[in-house]
Amino acid sequence: PSAQSRLLTTENESANLFFVDRGVGRIYVIDKRTGVLAKTLTFESDIVISDVAIAPTNVLYLLTDDGKILKVE
């Protein structure tokens, strides 16, 4: 993890944790019950993520440096 990393959880009974590493452009989906990496999502190297948020429905919203909002389901 780096200073650009962020761990996201939801208030509901979501089965996953989301670890966002903006430095390498990856989102790791981790199973809460087993601790196993369930999925790795990558985004293009020219996209610079300035912030990230998660909705109660496990939808991620990524804010880019150029002001765009990306939705990741």
Side-chain angles (χ1 to χ4, degrees):
S2 68
Q4 296 181 345
S5 300
R6 190 162 174 200
L7 181 64
L8 301 173
T9 61
T10 61
E11 294 180 11
N12 65 10
E13 296 299 319
S14 169
N16 299 314
L17 296 171
F18 300 88
F19 183 78
V20 181
D21 191 335
R22 294 178 292 171
V24 296
R26 291 193 178 136
I27 300 170
Y28 302 98
V29 181
I30 302 164
D31 185 296
K32 281 185 191 176
R33 188 177 48 82
T34 64
V36 173
L37 178 64
K39 187 187 304 186
T40 302
L41 307 170
T42 59
F43 39 94
E44 297 176 24
S45 61
D46 62 335
I47 296 175
V48 179
I49 302 300
S50 60
D51 202 3
V52 61
I54 187 167
T57 57
N58 289 328
V59 174
L60 294 173
Y61 292 93
L62 309 173
L63 177 63
T64 64
D65 274 358
D66 61 358
K68 294 179 184 172
I69 298 174
L70 307 175
K71 182 178 178 182
V72 180
E73 296 186 65

